């Protein structure tokens, strides 16, 4: 029987970590992730988990300790946000390059300067090329479900890669929502016993992690990492299918909302997708064929599947909650890359919204959909990339 | 109640407004309903005006933005009536629940409410001082809101107040809050 509660996104993910009971957790507090690790550290102090909690002096050290613990043969988790993730930067590449299945919820927040503690996706987008798998979550339920599935994906013997689980800071992290928790035993059975691969602590079989590799083999090493990443999509679907059996909740590479017969669509990550769906329903009631695609698996990006889901549309707007100054938004780049392989493709525009916690309101989705109606009619785009919800 | 209800709370930092929104969300879970409770996060200074929101729905809630057109507006601190526009975006038939010793008719004039809008008042600060010994009006406001909206029964709300406050406070404070909730429920009046 599922337990139904009203909890914050941070609390929900902390609960998932309690149910999974990792061997080691090394973490450093940062708004808006703090509540998550504070709750988890209470579980440690109260003896609800046997996790060894390592309190470190920075996120760089947190990730370093996670890498050490994971290489030693433990199941390892941490969590961070914003500057914390940025400070981990060099260690992120090491975790992925060493193929260590570390799990890290990221409670999305803007990066300085100027200093801001509120939500945007700049932090996780900065980790885009690090080799970590990325799962994105619309609400607390998805963040909880993704965290549980992340352990299975990361630890799969065909993968062994670290996973980031994203949820919007404050908007989801700190807001109270209805959630259905699985039973402890269900989660325990689902994630299973941790199987170490080449643990350093197996002293009868000595291993070396992170040695120098010169040009004669480095290229091959990275090619192997690329090959491993191509297995991720298959495993993500296998794990989702098994998860559906215990939860009744369906997951895939993305959420395709009213897309099948749509002519125009919004592509958008995380919590803003929920707000957009309500607006899409209103447009549908007016007889306008609008739809939405919300990516869940952002790394590796499911290019073929996204192209297939969007190919019949006339006009698309990709909304990015982060900017690449002098470039297009990161999600826009991915969707464009997916579509450019098609013989003919929809018109596509890019909007930057919600930076540093600027509210994404129904009127923004309306504004975008109205523009898409016009583009579908005229086949003309005036501005490709534009900020919305901005005070001029 | 309606299938979908949006509530906006106006309070000042330190009055327990956010806690009240959270307790309400918890209490409204019953009957398979979906809920949200979230404050507007600002500098979080004690005494600064703040807003908190609730959504309660019979269907999953997908909207993740502030409530713009509330059906219910709860003002936890009477001085806010002169400091912020509490009727901003209120629905045509919105319900106002105000913590004040004044009569609803006086508040109705002050807010210049529309024909279909309803105004309720309750002296939640006085109740809090008598029951808890401190000016923490949140429990009485919860009781009043519960009576006016019929979202949950008083018994159910009291159970949730006991549960939520039980984690943090002594038995004396819990009992005071339970009494304040009950009195808010009983003493709220319409005009």
């Amino acid at each position: 029987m599922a337990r139904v509660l009203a909890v914050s996104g941070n609390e929900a993910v902390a609960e998932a970590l309690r149910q999974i009971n990792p061997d080691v957790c090394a973490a450093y507090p940062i708004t808006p992730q703090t509540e998550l690790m504070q709750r988890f550290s209470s579980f440690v102090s109260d003896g609800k988990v046997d996790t060894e909690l390592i309190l470190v002096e920075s996120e760089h050290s947190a990730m370093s300790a996670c890498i050490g613990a994971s290489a030693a043969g433990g199941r390892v988790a941490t969590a961070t946000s914003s500057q914390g993730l940025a400070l981990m930067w060099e260690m992120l590449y090491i975790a992925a390059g060493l193929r260590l299945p570390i799990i890290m919820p990221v409670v999305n927040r803007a990066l300085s300067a100027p200093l801001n503690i509120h939500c945007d996706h700049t932090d996780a987008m900065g980790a885009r090329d690090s080799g970590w798998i990325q799962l994105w979550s619309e609400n607390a339920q998805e963040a909880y479900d993704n965290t549980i599935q992340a352990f299975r994906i990361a630890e799969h013997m065909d993968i062994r890669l670290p996973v980031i689980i994203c949820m919007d800071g404050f908007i989801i992290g700190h807001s109270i929502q209805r959630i259905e928790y699985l039973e402890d035993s269900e989660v325990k059975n689902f994630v299973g016993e941790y199987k170490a691969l080449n643990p350093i602590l197996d002293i009868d079989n000595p291993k070396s992690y992170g040695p120098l590799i010169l040009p004669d083999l480095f290229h091959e090493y990275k090619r192997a990492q690329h090959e491993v990443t191509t297995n991720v999509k298959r495993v993500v679907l296998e794990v989702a299918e098994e998860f559906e059996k215990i939860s009744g909740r369906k997951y895939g590479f993305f959420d395709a909302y009213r897309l099948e017969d749509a002519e125009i669509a919004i592509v958008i990550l995380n919590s803003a997708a929920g707000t957009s769906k309500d607006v899409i329903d209103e447009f549908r009631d007016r007889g306008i064929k609008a739809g939405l695609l919300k990516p869940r698996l952002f790394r590796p990006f499911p290019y073929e599947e996204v192209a297939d889901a969007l190919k019949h549309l006339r006009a698309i707007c990709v909304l990015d909650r982060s900017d690449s100054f002098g470039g297009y938004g990161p999600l826009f780049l991915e969707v464009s890359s997916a579509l450019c392989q098609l013989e003919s493709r929809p018109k596509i525009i890019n909007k930057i919204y919600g930076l540093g916690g600027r509210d994404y309101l129904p009127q923004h989705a309306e504004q975008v959909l109205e523009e898409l109606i016009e583009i579908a009619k005229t086949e003309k785009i005036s501005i490709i990339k534009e900020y919305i919800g901005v005070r001029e | 109640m309606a299938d979908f209800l949006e509530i906006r709370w106006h309070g000042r930092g330190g009055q327990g407004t956010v806690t009240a929104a959270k307790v309400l969300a918890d209490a409204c879970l019953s009957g398979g309903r979906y809920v949200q409770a979230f404050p507007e996060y600002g500098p979080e200074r004690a005494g600064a005006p703040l807003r908190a929101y609730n959504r309660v729905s019979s269907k999953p809630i997908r909207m993740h933005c502030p409530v713009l057109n509330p059906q219910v507006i709860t003002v936890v601190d009477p001085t806010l009536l002169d400091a912020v526009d509490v009727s901003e975006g209120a629905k045509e038939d919105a319900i106002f629940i105000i913590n004040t010793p004044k009569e609803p008719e006086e508040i109705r004039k002050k807010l210049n409410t529309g024909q279909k809008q309803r105004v309720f008042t309750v002296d939640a600060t006085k109740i809090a001082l008598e029951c808890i010994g401190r000016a923490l009006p949140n429990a009485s406001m919860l009781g009043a809101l519960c009576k006016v909206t019929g979202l949950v029964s008083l018994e159910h709300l009291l159970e949730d107040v006991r549960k939520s406050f039980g984690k943090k406070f002594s038995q004396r404070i819990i009992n005071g809050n339970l009494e304040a909730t009950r009195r808010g429920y009983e003493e709220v009046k319409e005009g």
Side-chain angles (χ1 to χ4, degrees), chain B residues 9-12 14-22 50-52 76 138:
Chain B
W9 297 78
H10 292 274
R12 289 186 183 275
Q15 291 176 329
T17 306
V18 177
T19 304
K22 288 179 180 174
L50 65 80
R51 291 168 174 216
V76 180
N138 57 352

Side-chain angles (χ1 to χ4, degrees), chain B residues 18 34 38 53 62 64 73 103 109 111 119 140 147 152 154 157 179:
Chain B
V18 177
Y34 293 80
F38 55 101
Y53 306 97
R62 301 182 299 198
H64 293 292
I73 292 158
E103 289 301 312
K109 277 191 197 125
L111 291 177
V119 175
S140 326
K147 171 77 173 291
V152 285
L154 178 64
L157 181 65
E179 183 55 20

Side-chain angles (χ1 to χ4, degrees), chain A residues 5-6 118 170-172 174-178 257 271 274-275 277-278 281 359-360 362, chain B residues 22 25-26 29 32-41 44 62-66 68:
Chain A
L5 282 100
H118 289 275
F170 290 109
I171 303 166
I172 299 303
H174 279 69
S175 89
I176 309 273
Q177 300 147 70
R178 179 189 192 273
Y257 184 71
S271 69
T275 306
K277 284 178 197 169
D278 276 10
D281 284 0
D359 288 324
Y360 176 77
Chain B
K22 288 179 180 174
D26 216 38
L29 268 184
R33 282 183 292 192
Y34 293 80
V35 295
Q36 279 182 352
F38 55 101
E40 204 158 77
Y41 283 94
E44 304 183 33
R62 301 182 299 198
M63 199 63 85
H64 293 292
C65 60
L68 300 174

Side-chain angles (χ1 to χ4, degrees), chain B residues 78-134:
Chain B
T79 65
L80 286 172
L81 293 175
D82 294 311
V84 298
D85 179 9
V86 299
S87 28
E88 185 190 354
K91 280 204 192 311
E92 196 186 40
D93 57 351
I95 295 168
F96 292 83
I97 307 167
I98 317 285
N99 169 20
T100 174
K102 292 176 181 163
E103 289 301 312
E105 196 49 42
E106 202 179 333
I107 301 295
R108 179 175 271 289
K109 277 191 197 125
K110 185 175 179 61
L111 291 177
N112 194 20
T113 47
Q115 291 245 307
K116 291 187 193 161
Q117 293 179 331
R118 297 168 70 191
V119 175
F120 295 82
T121 62
V122 58
D123 197 349
T125 304
K126 177 170 158 257
I127 297 174
L129 287 171
E130 288 171 8
C131 296
I132 315 162
R134 284 177 63 193

